[in-house]
Amino acid sequence: MSCFDRALPLLGTPAERLRVPYRDGPNLPGYFFAAAGDGAPRPTVVIWGGGGGHGEELYFLAGVPEALARGLNVVLFHGPGQRGLLHHHPGQVMRADAEVPLGAVLDHVAARPEVRPDRIALYGLSFGGYLAPRAAAFDRRVAALVANAPILDIHEAIMDAITTALPTPPPPDAPDAFWDEVHRQAAALDWTLAATIENSMLWTTGAASLGEFLRLTRAFRLTDLVERITVPVLSLSADGESAVQRAQAASFHERLDVPHKRFHRLTVADGADAHCGIGNIALTSSIVYDWLAGVLAG
């Protein structure tokens, strides 16, 4: 984070660090990147990463220079459960009501003179595929939504990932003691799973055990909220994701009843089949910001 801050003057675009006032805790750290230095109000994209992410990495993973090149301002921020906030405030864990922290960010962004308040888009990556649609379902200031990729039910997706790594299926309604033993043995079962449990699950939610974490994840569901989304939506889904994740993305998109929507597969042939299309960031970012530039231009 310190290196990134020192790099800001070298990026060739107006950039500043943000401290967004937040009613439920400390100020949310983030960054504002202006598409130009003339102060004119422009469409703006607020980018929200996942549970294992932080604002600085999104400059690269979300292709911020591609957005700026299309005349879009960009806002990056660390919300509850994300690295830039958790490192300094461990109690600021992930919350299902994503519209609350996003509301604080939009309060700040919409008041800036460089921003057109009627042209603010929201782009969610990874677990942002839950956070961004959830926030857009409640906050009418969001003018367009990109979900890469949409997550209808994170509990279902996580249970699929964990049980796939187990040598035998878990018993129905397995008690916490069973999941605690899975956690203990995770390093021997699947090193990636073990790292995910520790770094992207327990820490970001504040859960004391895998069993508690699995209970907490039941609150992170969009199944009853999709119809509340009313703005144009771009959904992306990478071929390399699990079958459950791909099915959830397709179901989310099919259920949308909005004036304009588009679904884009990120394929092996394009080298974009990795999680969120990060194997080909140039392509993924071009798809996202070409679409957003068109939609936000009206």
Side-chain angles (χ1 to χ4, degrees), residues 99 122 131-140 142 145 222 224-231:
E99 65 275 10
L122 186 55
L131 298 170
R134 162 79 195 216
F138 287 90
D139 200 313
R140 293 293 173 252
V142 176
L145 170 68
L222 294 176
D224 300 325
L225 299 174
V226 177
E227 287 74 17
R228 292 180 61 112
I229 298 171
T230 60
V231 297

Side-chain angles (χ1 to χ4, degrees), residues 72-137:
L72 304 172
N73 300 325
V74 174
V75 173
L76 308 177
F77 75 101
H78 302 254
Q82 295 174 322
R83 295 300 195 252
L85 204 56
L86 275 176
H87 276 304
H88 299 286
H89 304 281
Q92 286 294 321
V93 296
M94 195 70 70
R95 53 190 298 171
D97 54 348
E99 65 275 10
V100 175
L102 190 274
V105 174
L106 293 187
D107 287 344
H108 174 86
V109 171
R112 296 184 65 103
E114 315 96 317
V115 173
R116 284 193 58 179
D118 61 335
R119 292 290 187 270
I120 301 175
L122 186 55
Y123 177 18
L125 295 92
S126 192
F127 193 57
Y130 163 81
L131 298 170
R134 162 79 195 216

Side-chain angles (χ1 to χ4, degrees), residues 2-27:
S2 175
C3 288
F4 191 86
D5 285 349
R6 293 200 301 273
L8 289 181
L10 309 176
L11 294 179
T13 185
E16 66 179 270
R17 229 191 191 295
L18 300 180
R19 289 286 186 270
V20 176
Y22 178 48
R23 75 184 191 201
D24 291 348
N27 291 347

